[in-house]
Protein backbone atom coordinates (compact mmCIF):
# COMPACT_ATOMS: atom_id res chain seq x y z
CA UNK A 1 0.00 0.00 0.00
CA UNK A 2 1.72 3.12 -1.22
CA UNK A 3 0.04 6.34 -0.14
CA UNK A 4 2.96 8.77 -0.01
CA UNK A 5 5.34 8.81 -2.99
CA UNK A 6 8.79 10.26 -3.51
CA UNK A 7 7.97 11.61 -7.01
CA UNK A 8 4.18 11.47 -7.30
CA UNK A 9 1.02 12.77 -5.71
CA UNK A 10 -0.51 11.04 -2.73
CA UNK A 11 -2.88 8.07 -3.15
CA UNK A 12 -5.48 8.80 -0.49
CA UNK A 13 -6.02 5.89 1.93
CA UNK A 14 -3.76 3.40 0.07
CA UNK A 15 -1.76 2.52 3.19
CA UNK A 16 -4.93 2.03 5.22
CA UNK A 17 -6.44 -0.04 2.40
CA UNK A 18 -3.41 -2.34 2.44
CA UNK A 19 -3.41 -2.60 6.24
CA UNK A 20 -7.08 -3.61 6.27
CA UNK A 21 -6.55 -6.11 3.44
CA UNK A 22 -3.56 -7.57 5.31
CA UNK A 23 -5.71 -8.07 8.42
CA UNK A 24 -8.46 -9.58 6.27
CA UNK A 25 -5.99 -11.97 4.60
CA UNK A 26 -4.80 -13.14 8.01
CA UNK A 27 -8.10 -13.31 9.88
CA UNK A 28 -10.54 -14.30 7.12
CA UNK A 29 -8.40 -16.12 4.54
CA UNK A 30 -6.40 -17.72 7.35
CA UNK A 31 -3.02 -16.82 5.87
CA UNK A 32 -0.41 -17.07 8.65
CA UNK A 33 1.33 -13.77 9.41
CA UNK A 34 4.73 -15.25 8.49
CA UNK A 35 3.39 -15.90 4.97
CA UNK A 36 2.34 -12.28 4.48
CA UNK A 37 4.82 -9.81 3.02
CA UNK A 38 3.49 -6.36 3.86
CA UNK A 39 5.04 -3.15 2.57
CA UNK A 40 3.87 0.44 2.71
CA UNK A 41 5.14 3.80 1.54
CA UNK A 42 8.97 4.12 1.68
CA UNK A 43 9.39 0.36 2.14
CA UNK A 44 7.69 -0.42 -1.18
CA UNK A 45 10.63 0.30 -3.50
CA UNK A 46 11.39 -1.17 -6.90
CA UNK A 47 14.10 -3.24 -5.22
CA UNK A 48 11.49 -4.80 -2.94
CA UNK A 49 9.20 -5.54 -5.90
CA UNK A 50 12.11 -7.31 -7.60
CA UNK A 51 12.96 -9.22 -4.40
CA UNK A 52 9.39 -10.44 -4.01
CA UNK A 53 8.61 -11.30 -7.64
CA UNK A 54 11.99 -12.38 -9.08
CA UNK A 55 12.53 -15.93 -10.34
CA UNK A 56 14.21 -16.90 -7.04
CA UNK A 57 12.40 -14.28 -4.95
CA UNK A 58 10.42 -14.34 -1.74
CA UNK A 59 7.29 -15.79 -3.37
CA UNK A 60 9.14 -18.38 -5.44
CA UNK A 61 10.97 -19.68 -2.37
CA UNK A 62 7.68 -20.25 -0.55
CA UNK A 63 5.56 -21.67 -3.35
CA UNK A 64 4.96 -25.41 -3.54
CA UNK A 65 3.97 -26.46 -7.07
CA UNK A 66 0.23 -27.17 -7.40
CA UNK A 67 -0.32 -26.67 -3.64
CA UNK A 68 0.23 -23.02 -2.75
CA UNK A 69 -2.51 -20.40 -3.11
CA UNK A 70 -0.94 -17.00 -3.80
CA UNK A 71 -2.78 -13.73 -3.10
CA UNK A 72 -1.30 -10.39 -4.20
CA UNK A 73 -2.83 -7.07 -3.20
CA UNK A 74 -1.58 -3.70 -4.45
CA UNK A 75 -2.91 -0.22 -3.65
CA UNK A 76 -1.04 2.68 -5.17
CA UNK A 77 -0.32 4.35 -8.48
CA UNK A 78 -0.23 2.60 -11.77
CA UNK A 79 0.89 4.47 -14.87
CA UNK A 80 1.09 3.90 -18.59
CA UNK A 81 4.25 4.21 -20.60
CA UNK A 82 3.05 6.57 -23.34
CA UNK A 83 5.35 5.20 -26.06
CA UNK A 84 4.91 1.47 -25.53
CA UNK A 85 1.32 1.69 -24.21
CA UNK A 86 2.26 -0.72 -21.44
CA UNK A 87 0.93 -0.55 -17.88
CA UNK A 88 3.28 -0.30 -14.88
CA UNK A 89 2.90 -0.44 -11.12
CA UNK A 90 4.67 2.55 -9.60
CA UNK A 91 6.74 1.72 -6.50
CA UNK A 92 7.50 4.45 -3.94
CA UNK A 93 10.80 5.45 -5.54
CA UNK A 94 9.68 5.62 -9.19
CA UNK A 95 8.58 8.74 -11.07
CA UNK A 96 5.39 8.06 -13.07
CA UNK A 97 6.74 10.33 -15.82
CA UNK A 98 9.22 7.47 -16.40
CA UNK A 99 6.75 4.64 -15.96
CA UNK A 100 8.98 2.22 -17.86
CA UNK A 101 11.33 2.29 -14.84
CA UNK A 102 8.50 0.88 -12.70
CA UNK A 103 7.28 -2.72 -12.45
CA UNK A 104 5.31 -3.75 -15.53
CA UNK A 105 2.06 -5.64 -15.19
CA UNK A 106 3.34 -8.07 -17.79
CA UNK A 107 6.37 -8.80 -15.58
CA UNK A 108 4.08 -9.28 -12.58
CA UNK A 109 1.82 -11.70 -14.43
CA UNK A 110 4.76 -13.57 -15.95
CA UNK A 111 6.39 -13.94 -12.54
CA UNK A 112 3.18 -15.17 -10.94
CA UNK A 113 2.50 -17.60 -13.80
CA UNK A 114 6.00 -19.02 -13.38
CA UNK A 115 5.30 -19.98 -9.76
CA UNK A 116 3.10 -22.91 -10.82
CA UNK A 117 0.97 -22.32 -7.73
CA UNK A 118 -2.38 -24.02 -7.29
CA UNK A 119 -4.04 -20.61 -7.66
CA UNK A 120 -3.07 -16.96 -7.93
CA UNK A 121 -5.42 -14.10 -7.14
CA UNK A 122 -4.35 -10.51 -7.79
CA UNK A 123 -6.22 -7.50 -6.41
CA UNK A 124 -5.21 -4.17 -7.96
CA UNK A 125 -6.52 -0.98 -6.39
CA UNK A 126 -4.69 1.12 -8.95
CA UNK A 127 -5.45 2.63 -12.30
CA UNK A 128 -3.34 2.93 -15.41
CA UNK A 129 -5.05 5.95 -16.92
CA UNK A 130 -2.43 8.51 -15.97
CA UNK A 131 -4.72 10.02 -13.31
CA UNK A 132 -4.50 9.75 -9.53
CA UNK A 133 -7.35 9.21 -7.05
CA UNK A 134 -7.52 12.99 -6.78
CA UNK A 135 -8.24 13.13 -10.57
CA UNK A 136 -5.02 15.10 -11.21
CA UNK A 137 -2.78 13.93 -14.02
CA UNK A 138 0.35 12.04 -12.91
CA UNK A 139 2.21 12.37 -16.18
CA UNK A 140 3.54 15.77 -17.17
CA UNK A 141 2.32 17.18 -20.46
CA UNK A 142 -0.73 14.95 -20.87
CA UNK A 143 -3.15 17.80 -20.07
CA UNK A 144 -6.11 15.64 -19.18
CA UNK A 145 -5.72 13.11 -21.97
CA UNK A 146 -6.40 9.58 -20.78
CA UNK A 147 -3.88 7.16 -22.23
CA UNK A 148 -5.20 3.72 -23.10
CA UNK A 149 -2.66 1.00 -22.45
CA UNK A 150 -2.44 -2.24 -24.30
CA UNK A 151 -4.23 -4.98 -22.40
CA UNK A 152 -1.83 -6.94 -20.27
CA UNK A 153 -2.13 -10.62 -20.90
CA UNK A 154 -1.17 -13.70 -19.02
CA UNK A 155 -1.38 -17.34 -19.91
CA UNK A 156 -1.99 -18.94 -16.53
CA UNK A 157 -5.30 -20.76 -16.23
CA UNK A 158 -5.00 -20.62 -12.46
CA UNK A 159 -4.85 -16.81 -12.19
CA UNK A 160 -7.62 -14.31 -11.49
CA UNK A 161 -7.05 -10.55 -11.62
CA UNK A 162 -9.60 -8.27 -9.96
CA UNK A 163 -8.93 -4.62 -10.68
CA UNK A 164 -10.49 -1.36 -9.56
CA UNK A 165 -10.63 0.03 -13.09
CA UNK A 166 -10.06 -0.66 -16.75
CA UNK A 167 -7.12 0.88 -18.60
CA UNK A 168 -8.91 4.15 -19.40
CA UNK A 169 -10.68 4.66 -16.06
CA UNK A 170 -9.29 6.06 -12.84
CA UNK A 171 -9.61 4.65 -9.34
CA UNK A 172 -11.17 6.92 -6.78
CA UNK A 173 -11.12 7.43 -3.04
CA UNK A 174 -14.16 7.13 -0.77
CA UNK A 175 -13.44 9.90 1.78
CA UNK A 176 -16.56 9.19 3.84
CA UNK A 177 -15.15 5.71 4.58
CA UNK A 178 -11.40 6.57 4.56
CA UNK A 179 -10.69 4.00 1.83
CA UNK A 180 -10.38 3.62 -1.89
CA UNK A 181 -13.80 2.75 -3.34
CA UNK A 182 -12.57 -0.60 -4.70
CA UNK A 183 -11.00 -1.79 -1.45
CA UNK A 184 -13.92 -0.60 0.65
CA UNK A 185 -16.35 -2.76 -1.32
CA UNK A 186 -13.88 -5.60 -1.69
Amino acid sequence: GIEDYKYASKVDYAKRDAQVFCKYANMVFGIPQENIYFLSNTEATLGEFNKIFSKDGWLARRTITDETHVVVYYAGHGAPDVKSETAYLIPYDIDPNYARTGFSLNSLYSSLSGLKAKSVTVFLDACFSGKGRDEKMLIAGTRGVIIKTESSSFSANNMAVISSSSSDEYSAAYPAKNHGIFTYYL
Side-chain angles (χ1 to χ4, degrees), residues 58-93:
W58 190 87
L59 271 174
R61 291 179 181 192
R62 287 159 179 77
T63 301
I64 300 167
T65 301
D66 296 325
E67 288 185 33
T68 304
H69 298 279
V70 175
V71 177
V72 175
Y73 174 88
Y74 175 83
H77 283 307
D81 175 61
V82 178
K83 290 181 183 174
S84 69
E85 296 184 344
T86 302
Y88 289 83
L89 299 177
I90 303 299
Y92 164 80
D93 56 341

Side-chain angles (χ1 to χ4, degrees), residues 6-40:
K6 187 173 183 178
Y7 301 108
S9 61
K10 186 175 183 170
V11 179
D12 294 331
Y13 315 114
K15 182 178 178 182
R16 179 185 158 111
D17 287 346
Q19 289 169 326
V20 169
F21 189 86
C22 182
K23 261 185 167 173
Y24 190 86
N26 178 248
M27 296 169 65
V28 177
F29 292 165
I31 300 171
Q33 199 62 46
E34 64 270 12
N35 291 343
I36 296 174
Y37 200 102
F38 179 85
L39 296 171
S40 66

Side-chain angles (χ1 to χ4, degrees), residues 127-145:
C127 65
F128 303 92
S129 65
K131 279 189 177 183
R133 281 187 179 174
D134 59 5
E135 297 190 46
K136 292 179 183 169
M137 296 308 292
L138 292 175
I139 301 169
T142 55
R143 292 186 292 262
V145 175

